[in-house]
Amino acid sequence: MTTQNNKLNIKTAEDIRSSEVSIEADVVVIGSGAGGAINAYELAKQGKKVVVLEAGPYVPSSKFSEMLAVGMGTLYQDEGGQSNTHGDIAVLQGACVGGSTVVNAALCFRTPDYYLDLWAKEFGLKNLTSELMSGYFDKVEKNLGIHTNGAHETSIGAHLIAKGLEKLSIQRGVARRNIRDCALTGFCFSGCKTDRKQSMLVTYLPWACNHGAEIYADTRVTRIKTKNGHASGVEAVIVDPKTKTVKANMKVSAPIVVLAAGPVQTPIILQQSAIANSSGQVGKNFACHPTLSVTAVFENPVNDFHGATHSLYVDTHTLPEEGGYLLLDAIQEPVEACFQAEPGTGKPYVAYMEKYRNTIRLITLIHDKNVGEVRLKDGVKEIIYEVDDSDFEAMKKGLKYNAKILFAAGAQFLYLPTSDRTVIESADDIDRVIDRLKNEPARYRYTSFHPQGTCRMGADPSKTVVNPYGETHDVKKLYIADASLLPTSIGYNPSETVYALASYIADQIVESNFGPKIDERR
């Protein structure tokens, strides 16, 4: 039995001795990330037998390398290679026990009332009021230590950007993160070796196990089973992570299934199972917050290596009517730096990397339209998505705003993240350079950490997949609790939204199936 500090009750493929594994449970949870872990804890706390199935490996924090190139291969979906069909947007997701919470930057935003009001009006989610959600935000913020960065956590690069914002009289926001006593190493994307980041790996999963929950890693669900219109369990395979061969077949019988595999994998599991899609919306309405990082080069070394991975943000134009883009600072380690810009090859590339210490970056993230689709075609996963033309215009406006701030911060020149070398030499050139950018596939080095929207939540079963309380319209006792629920892109990092929605859905499951809830404060 593999354990971490005797808190995780977890089995990996290495622990399995039989070719057939059969389990009976009260609840089976698919996925161990934000939505899955929170539901596992909240339901196990009610005294129910909960089994969590995670397709990714179990990597204890003691084995985190703090090197992105290594972390990509061990902690990320498709070893960091998951992308849209054009290959120009890296869609990054965690694929390990703890899911994306292990490898994200821990940045948290409450869902703006703007979106709660929009969802109530357009999707019938009148239950998700500001007052109701506020209570769940309070709860998860307390449980996960979500707080505003202290001044000592601000990175050197963020200090420079703040000076640029001050010169331009632009209001800055101070990042809020689920961190306790941050070590300020800047390695969030490679996993937090010191367990300061309050990921599911060190919070809700061990809490769930303390109430008897069991976790199976290396376990990929192939089918959700139903009986008489109700969920009845799952079929899965336990895969040896070294040989990629099936070591055992698994069956879990459970009257409640919580699907929280993520906005890419959740619709694929539903498609494989041929269920919950009378609306035809499973896998549709994919959004991902495409981002482009602008790299600023300064005359002298900045050494922007330490501090909060995200220290500040600018959301003066984030809502769709205001522009639809969000700016975020971020520490950039060498692996990211080497592919975010195109300085050329040979000597130009070496010269660029020699100046790496002199660089900082500022990210432009757009509130994109839900124009994509996730599907399984001939057994192969496809993420069909191109940046919409109007979204690209929003990106261009965001890049201009971004560039003005970096020049005001003292940058000598800027690299844009294009497939060909694109440099802005001065503030006077910003409009000229960015105005000529065209929305062309495979031209830009997009990154996405925020897939969402593939199993929309809403009141109308003909237009959505999941009802306002987290249960699928078509299959009773099948609940979805991840970012695939989000009816629209929200323009901000969605992690806290998922934490709160997952907590709400867990309460709905308890109240609908188990009677009075056991109230246990954490």
Side-chain angles (χ1 to χ4, degrees):
M1 181 78 66
T2 309
T3 62
Q4 176 174 303
N5 299 328
N6 297 318
K7 291 183 179 179
L8 284 181
N9 178 20
I10 185 167
K11 289 185 178 180
T12 69
E14 186 177 359
D15 299 313
I16 302 302
R17 298 289 177 262
S18 172
S19 61
E20 299 289 336
V21 178
S22 183
I23 300 173
E24 291 191 4
D26 296 311
V27 182
V28 58
V29 178
I30 305 169
S32 64
I38 287 174
N39 271 269
Y41 165 65
E42 296 291 355
L43 301 178
K45 189 174 68 174
Q46 305 303 311
K48 304 304 175 182
K49 181 176 180 179
V50 176
V51 174
V52 180
L53 307 182
E54 169 57 54
Y58 169 56
V59 183
S61 53
S62 61
K63 293 186 178 180
F64 293 163
S65 68
E66 297 191 331
M67 294 176 64
L68 185 61
V70 176
M72 285 279 187
T74 55
L75 301 172
Y76 283 74
Q77 185 69 43
D78 298 348
E79 299 181 344
Q82 181 173 263
S83 68
N84 62 336
T85 50
H86 279 298
D88 60 346
I89 304 177
V91 182
L92 299 175
Q93 288 181 288
C96 57
V97 173
S100 293
T101 69
V102 173
V103 295
N104 69 16
L107 187 60
C108 292
F109 294 92
R110 290 191 173 198
T111 317
D113 287 348
Y114 172 95
Y115 293 103
L116 298 178
D117 294 342
L118 177 70
W119 296 347
K121 180 180 178 181
E122 294 192 3
F123 296 92
L125 298 181
K126 298 181 180 183
N127 53 318
L128 301 182
T129 63
S130 176
E131 181 180 11
L132 178 136
M133 292 299 289
S134 180
Y136 285 100
F137 290 136
D138 287 343
K139 178 179 182 178
V140 297
E141 287 171 2
K142 179 182 178 182
N143 284 352
L144 297 173
I146 298 172
H147 67 282
T148 302
N149 282 351
H152 69 286
E153 297 177 283
T154 305
S155 67
I156 294 173
H159 278 299
L160 284 173
I161 293 168
K163 290 179 180 179
L165 294 171
E166 186 176 354
K167 285 182 181 179
L168 298 172
S169 299
I170 298 172
Q171 183 178 357
R172 67 163 168 157
V174 180
R176 301 176 74 249
R177 302 181 301 146
N178 54 301
I179 299 278
R180 298 187 194 275
D181 301 319
C182 184
L184 305 178
T185 60
F187 294 125
C188 279
F189 297 132
S190 306
C192 183
K193 194 174 184 70
T194 59
D195 289 342
R196 310 297 180 91
K197 177 163 62 176
Q198 300 298 284
S199 73
M200 298 299 107
L201 185 62
V202 298
T203 55
Y204 278 90
L205 287 176
W207 300 343
C209 290
N210 287 343
H211 287 281
E214 302 173 358
I215 304 170
Y216 286 79
D218 309 317
T219 304
R220 179 169 55 85
V221 171
T222 56
R223 179 170 167 256
I224 296 171
K225 298 190 297 180
T226 63
K227 185 176 181 180
N228 299 325
H230 288 64
S232 61
V234 304
E235 295 176 355
V237 290
I238 300 173
V239 179
D240 187 318
K242 296 178 181 177
T243 65
K244 309 300 182 185
T245 58
V246 174
K247 188 169 184 180
N249 296 307
M250 172 183 274
K251 292 183 179 180
V252 181
S253 297
I256 296 173
V257 176
V258 179
L259 178 54
V264 176
Q265 290 73 27
T266 283
I268 285 177
I269 291 172
L270 292 179
Q271 290 168 17
Q272 287 176 321
S273 307
I275 58 173
N277 197 24
S278 64
S279 66
Q281 296 300 299
V282 169
K284 302 290 180 63
N285 311 304
F286 175 81
C288 63
H289 290 167
T291 69
L292 292 177
S293 293
V294 179
T295 300
V297 182
F298 289 75
E299 182 178 1
N300 298 312
V302 178
N303 296 325
D304 189 27
F305 307 140
H306 305 293
T309 302
H310 293 306
S311 296
L312 62 79
Y313 62 90
V314 180
D315 66 349
T316 54
H317 293 76
T318 302
L319 296 180
E321 289 84 352
E322 298 169 346
Y325 57 85
L326 174 75
L327 303 187
L328 298 165
D329 87 294
I331 288 176
Q332 180 168 251
E333 58 95 71
V335 171
E336 285 183 289
C338 78
F339 62 70
Q340 287 290 358
E342 179 49 71
T345 58
K347 289 183 179 180
Y349 174 78
V350 172
Y352 166 73
M353 289 306 296
E354 285 177 342
K355 286 278 192 177
Y356 161 64
R357 294 174 60 195
N358 296 40
T359 66
I360 66 173
R361 67 167 168 162
L362 186 57
I363 298 168
T364 299
L365 175 156
I366 60 171
H367 165 112
D368 54 328
K369 296 181 178 61
N370 296 69
V371 297
E373 179 181 358
V374 174
R375 70 180 185 183
L376 197 65
K377 183 179 180 181
D378 299 327
V380 178
K381 170 183 64 182
E382 289 188 333
I383 302 174
I384 303 166
Y385 180 92
E386 296 178 31
V387 174
D388 180 84
D389 285 343
S390 61
D391 286 340
F392 188 72
E393 291 304 310
M395 176 65 80
K396 287 168 67 174
K397 291 177 183 177
L399 290 175
K400 287 182 180 182
Y401 205 49
N402 185 326
K404 289 174 183 177
I405 292 167
L406 290 173
F407 277 119
Q412 284 188 306
F413 61 92
L414 313 176
Y415 284 101
L416 295 184
T418 54
S419 58
D420 56 344
R421 188 176 188 272
T422 305
V423 174
I424 304 178
E425 300 284 357
S426 71
D428 292 337
D429 289 336
I430 292 173
D431 288 348
R432 178 182 61 83
V433 174
I434 294 177
D435 281 343
R436 70 188 186 197
L437 299 178
K438 305 297 182 184
N439 188 20
E440 301 168 340
R443 170 115 194 257
Y444 304 96
R445 300 185 175 197
Y446 290 108
T447 302
S448 164
F449 254 112
H450 307 154
Q452 55 197 284
T454 49
C455 293
R456 274 179 167 169
M457 173 188 273
D460 187 343
S462 70
K463 297 179 180 178
T464 59
V465 178
V466 176
N467 74 20
Y469 308 100
E471 188 177 39
T472 62
H473 291 295
D474 295 354
V475 180
K476 301 304 178 185
K477 312 302 182 185
L478 170 59
Y479 297 85
I480 296 180
D482 57 33
S484 63
L485 292 173
L486 304 186
T488 67
S489 168
I490 59 171
Y492 289 87
N493 298 50
S495 55
E496 188 170 351
T497 297
V498 175
Y499 299 148
L501 279 176
S503 297
Y504 172 70
I505 290 168
D507 279 354
Q508 304 313 301
I509 295 172
V510 171
E511 291 171 11
S512 297
N513 298 280
F514 304 144
K517 185 173 69 170
I518 298 173
D519 184 17
E520 178 177 309
R521 295 181 180 272
R522 170 162 287 284

